[in-house]
Amino acid sequence: MQTTTPHTDVPDTGRRSPGADRIGRSLLAVCAIATMGAFVDGIGRVSDAPDDFLLTEFWRTTAYLVFAGMWALLAVAPRAQRGMFELILLQKTLVTVQALIVMDLPGSALTAAIDGAVVVATLTAYVLCRGWYAWKRGPATD
């Protein structure tokens, strides 16, 4: 009979600093809260969007909820979410690079600054929380 362990955060291994972990989790929580602010702002954009862009604005606005949830999950258990850090970093880095490429378009400088800031915050949290330890857990048993 195989015993299983519940899906919890990885126990302290190595020389992880509780202070660094707390700072990293706080950065992730700030990203989640800031993204909820973007969601609230997006509600106004949805209500003001022309018919041609209504669905696009709705999709973008609800995506803020998804990202806020992802950052919140990481803040609670940063080493229990395999691939979550990496997916966020990939998407936000791609958006930042695209905004820099099209810097002459309206809103691109603001997008580059905001998404660039969350890339830095998320990457910093990844290092402080040792996010790569999520991949060192045993296989999922669901």
Side-chain angles (χ1 to χ4, degrees):
M1 182 171 145
Q2 181 179 0
T3 60
T4 61
T5 58
H7 296 281
T8 59
D9 207 8
V10 173
D12 285 343
T13 54
R15 296 175 50 186
R16 185 166 55 91
S17 162
D21 195 65
R22 192 175 312 108
I23 293 167
R25 288 174 187 241
S26 296
L27 285 171
L28 295 166
V30 167
C31 287
I33 292 166
T35 305
M36 286 304 298
F39 169 73
V40 171
D41 180 62
I43 292 170
R45 281 189 306 215
V46 169
S47 63
D48 293 340
D51 290 345
D52 291 351
F53 293 100
L54 181 63
L55 187 55
T56 301
E57 286 299 332
F58 180 81
W59 180 88
R60 180 186 339 210
T61 298
T62 57
Y64 291 133
L65 286 176
V66 173
F67 274 92
M70 291 169 71
W71 273 305
L73 287 170
L74 285 172
V76 170
R79 289 164 302 280
Q81 314 297 331
R82 288 184 187 161
M84 189 89 72
F85 271 112
E86 294 84 357
L87 286 172
I88 290 173
L89 287 167
L90 174 65
Q91 198 275 344
K92 292 299 173 189
T93 299
L94 290 173
V95 170
T96 302
V97 169
Q98 178 64 18
L100 292 171
I101 290 170
V102 297
M103 190 55 82
D104 57 325
L105 294 178
S108 59
L110 182 61
T111 297
I114 291 171
D115 280 272
V118 297
V119 166
V120 170
T122 304
L123 187 57
T124 301
Y126 183 75
V127 171
L128 291 172
C129 293
R130 295 178 148 193
W132 58 89
Y133 273 86
W135 295 100
K136 295 185 184 251
R137 291 187 300 125
T141 57
D142 287 338

